Amino acid sequence: MWLHLSATQHAAPNWQNSGWLRPRPDEGLIPVSLLAYTPQVLRSTGRWLLAAASTVSKGVKLTLLLTLELGMFPLAAGLWLDICALPLTSTSIEQRSELFAKTPFMAGFMHWALGLGFLLGFTFMVCVVREVLRPGALPFLKDPTNPERNPIREMLQEPLLRQLGRVLQSWVVHAGKSAVGLENVGVCL
């Protein structure tokens, strides 16, 4: 509690044993204990601010990665599938851009759902192949049925650049796979 004394107050306090420095008549009081503990207060406040900044940065990192992997990645995969399938559907880029101009949210949701279905179908195919092959045959692919795997913890512990590199690598693999697969379907038809 801060006590502010002005020159017009009528009672003079006992300054010898009170723990307060005697102020000038136009200033307030300064507690001696605050001056003694200032380094500890600053260190603990600094630690608290660093912990808060670390928590906020982890939340921002997790939000960014989840938005990329669950939002933007399926949308990009759906758009890429649509572009690769244009010769099969006898449509043009102009017709697709008109669709986006007329109903952007519906077209975006349609492409997101298409991409998510494609990615989930590929994940299901990997699970079936893992059941047929011997254990450990595909070490470069993560097992989605592994109960010890915690993707949220992996996102929080690994550096952001490594995570972004994995997202980019996944995009290249899925884009190549969809382009080759749809081209083969087009040739067969």
Side-chain angles (χ1 to χ4, degrees), residues 69-143:
E69 290 187 11
L70 298 177
M72 302 306 289
F73 190 61
L75 178 65
L79 286 169
W80 184 248
L81 280 171
D82 190 22
I83 290 170
C84 289
L86 284 177
L88 297 174
T89 59
S90 301
T91 57
S92 65
I93 296 276
E94 291 81 22
Q95 291 171 331
R96 293 297 185 201
S97 62
E98 287 175 16
L99 175 69
F100 268 105
K102 289 179 184 174
T103 57
F105 294 114
M106 186 62 188
F109 178 73
M110 182 181 66
H111 285 95
W112 177 80
L114 176 68
L116 189 63
F118 173 72
L119 295 174
L120 289 175
F122 182 72
T123 303
F124 178 72
M125 184 194 67
V126 168
C127 288
V128 169
V129 169
R130 278 188 186 273
E131 288 178 5
V132 173
L133 296 176
R134 65 176 175 81
L138 300 173
F140 53 89
L141 293 176
K142 291 183 182 179
D143 186 10

Side-chain angles (χ1 to χ4, degrees), residues 11 22 28 41 43 45 47 50 71 77 90 104 107 123 141 144-145 157 161:
R22 184 177 183 128
V41 169
R43 277 195 297 272
T45 303
R47 279 190 227 113
L50 285 175
S90 301
T123 303
L141 293 176
T145 60
Q157 289 178 348
L161 291 177

Side-chain angles (χ1 to χ4, degrees), residues 3-178:
L3 297 175
H4 294 286
L5 297 177
S6 65
T8 59
Q9 286 184 332
H10 57 296
N14 182 6
W15 298 104
Q16 272 91 30
N17 298 324
S18 66
W20 296 90
L21 297 177
R22 184 177 183 128
R24 291 188 295 185
D26 59 339
E27 291 183 14
L29 297 176
I30 302 170
V32 174
S33 60
L34 180 65
L35 295 175
Y37 292 114
T38 299
Q40 289 95 2
V41 169
L42 290 176
R43 277 195 297 272
S44 66
T45 303
R47 279 190 227 113
W48 181 83
L49 286 173
L50 285 175
S54 173
T55 302
V56 168
S57 69
K58 285 181 181 180
V60 168
K61 176 183 172 183
L62 187 64
T63 303
L64 172 72
L65 289 172
L66 286 176
T67 302
L68 280 174
E69 290 187 11
L70 298 177
M72 302 306 289
F73 190 61
L75 178 65
L79 286 169
W80 184 248
L81 280 171
D82 190 22
I83 290 170
C84 289
L86 284 177
L88 297 174
T89 59
S90 301
T91 57
S92 65
I93 296 276
E94 291 81 22
Q95 291 171 331
R96 293 297 185 201
S97 62
E98 287 175 16
L99 175 69
F100 268 105
K102 289 179 184 174
T103 57
F105 294 114
M106 186 62 188
F109 178 73
M110 182 181 66
H111 285 95
W112 177 80
L114 176 68
L116 189 63
F118 173 72
L119 295 174
L120 289 175
F122 182 72
T123 303
F124 178 72
M125 184 194 67
V126 168
C127 288
V128 169
V129 169
R130 278 188 186 273
E131 288 178 5
V132 173
L133 296 176
R134 65 176 175 81
L138 300 173
F140 53 89
L141 293 176
K142 291 183 182 179
D143 186 10
T145 60
N146 185 3
E148 296 176 5
R149 182 174 177 254
N150 189 348
I152 302 295
R153 185 180 305 140
E154 289 175 9
M155 286 181 194
L156 290 175
Q157 289 178 348
E158 292 183 6
L160 181 62
L161 291 177
R162 182 180 296 163
Q163 291 285 338
L164 292 175
R166 285 184 181 167
V167 169
L168 181 65
Q169 180 185 12
S170 296
W171 163 247
V172 169
V173 167
H174 287 295
K177 181 178 55 189
S178 61

